[in-house]
Amino acid sequence: MTLLAIETSCDETSASVVRGGTILSSIISSQIKLHAEYGGVVPELAAREHLRNLVPVTQAALQAARVQPDQLDAVAATQGPGLPTALLVGFKAAQAIAFAREKPFLGIHHHEAHLYSPWISGDPPTADFSLFQPNVSLIVSGGHTMLVLVESELKHSVLGSTTDDAAGECFDKTGKLMGLPYPAGPEIDRLAETGNPKAFDFPRPLLNDTGDDFSFSGLKTSVRYFLHDHPELLNDAQSVRNLCASIQAAIVEVLVTKTLRAAKRKGVRCVTASGGVTCNRTLRRELTGECKNKGFTLRLADQNLCTDNAGMIGVLAERKLLAGTKPTPPDQEIAPGWELA
Ligand code: KG4
Ligand code: ZN
């Protein structure tokens, strides 16, 4: 099956052509620079930028895959969750392409696509979701932080999620408090490499709670009060690096400890992680080390599949259609608040 997928849930305009579990092309046009001056994503600007970029990005994806529109067997797009006006652009365009070509269309849950993204590349080189099940999966991005039990291919249940801010949001908001550019996650990652993670002791929210929920707003508030009391730290480059390393250490310790605790409790042998924050080098290192120590097989999403991309949408859509999932009826709309079950 040759499938075109579109993703416009937030600030990346992306199109991809997939076939047989392989991403033939994946074009991503990022709007980071556009939103940086506002310190966060401005929904109206994001939608307008998607409108400008979607056609060239889609053409580029088809060209890079050497696929003509009449060779497409199906079309997919992110249906939710996400920014309503941003979702509308990609979802409606994909529905229209499917309608015009009389091909099936499938709306995809953004987090479900992140969930299966660790299985897209690596060994074997084409996506095989049936490996290492059951597993416990950490989805950690700018909008969500959750633990999911994957029982078998396409069968999963959410164990817990954040009760307030997501981990990526915590990186971005604490970074903003330190005057770092948006999104601050990658910048904190970079500065933390030469900082001391033990320099400052920030709280590890819900670390000792036996449930699978997360909470990161308390950590953000604690950093805010700390900087209010010690503004001089922001004038010293090494202190900023130490702050980054200490904040990152708190976030990563919570994510790693709770993921492995859930995996042990559920009796699985495999752990996976996906979503934008999975780009974080300390998180990747700590998960790798802890899984090795405790005897879990770890599957991390490829760096280029961690942040938002249409490739993961397309691979999941193809799997679902081949597994018999019914196409999304043409009268269905976007689902901005769609929760993963
Ligand atoms: O999955 P994603 O691209 O979009 C959402 O679905 O939210 O994730 C974006 C989030 C942002 O909060 C960004 O700061 C964070 O991922 N992020 C990182 C790193 N790279 C991206 N956080 C920490 N370290 C990184 N290297
Ligand atoms: Zn995402």
Side-chain angles (χ1 to χ4, degrees), residues 39 165 169-182 184 188 202 216-228 230-231 233-234 240 243-244 247:
D165 291 354
E169 211 174 341
C170 187
F171 271 110
D172 295 340
K173 287 181 176 169
T174 54
K176 194 172 178 181
L177 293 172
M178 291 185 283
L180 300 180
Y182 172 84
I188 291 182
F202 291 116
F216 289 102
S217 70
L219 171 55
K220 173 192 66 191
T221 308
S222 153
V223 172
R224 171 174 289 138
Y225 286 133
F226 185 77
L227 291 176
H228 180 265
H230 303 279
L233 291 175
L234 296 179
V240 171
L243 281 164
C244 288
I247 294 165

Side-chain angles (χ1 to χ4, degrees), residues 180-260:
L180 300 180
Y182 172 84
E187 192 62 7
I188 291 182
D189 184 349
R190 190 180 69 76
L191 293 169
E193 284 289 293
T194 45
N196 175 5
K198 297 201 168 104
F200 307 105
D201 188 18
F202 291 116
R204 272 78 169 144
L206 298 185
L207 179 68
N208 297 317
D209 183 274
T210 51
D212 294 319
D213 283 340
F214 296 94
S215 164
F216 289 102
S217 70
L219 171 55
K220 173 192 66 191
T221 308
S222 153
V223 172
R224 171 174 289 138
Y225 286 133
F226 185 77
L227 291 176
H228 180 265
D229 292 343
H230 303 279
E232 72 287 354
L233 291 175
L234 296 179
N235 297 324
D236 174 54
Q238 187 54 45
S239 298
V240 171
R241 290 195 283 267
N242 292 344
L243 281 164
C244 288
S246 301
I247 294 165
Q248 179 177 271
I251 298 172
V252 167
E253 184 179 345
V254 171
L255 294 174
V256 173
T257 306
K258 299 203 76 155
T259 303
L260 268 66

Side-chain angles (χ1 to χ4, degrees), residues 110-111 114 141 306 308 312:
H110 182 85
H111 297 129
H114 274 306
S141 71
C306 284
D308 292 346
M312 66 179 186

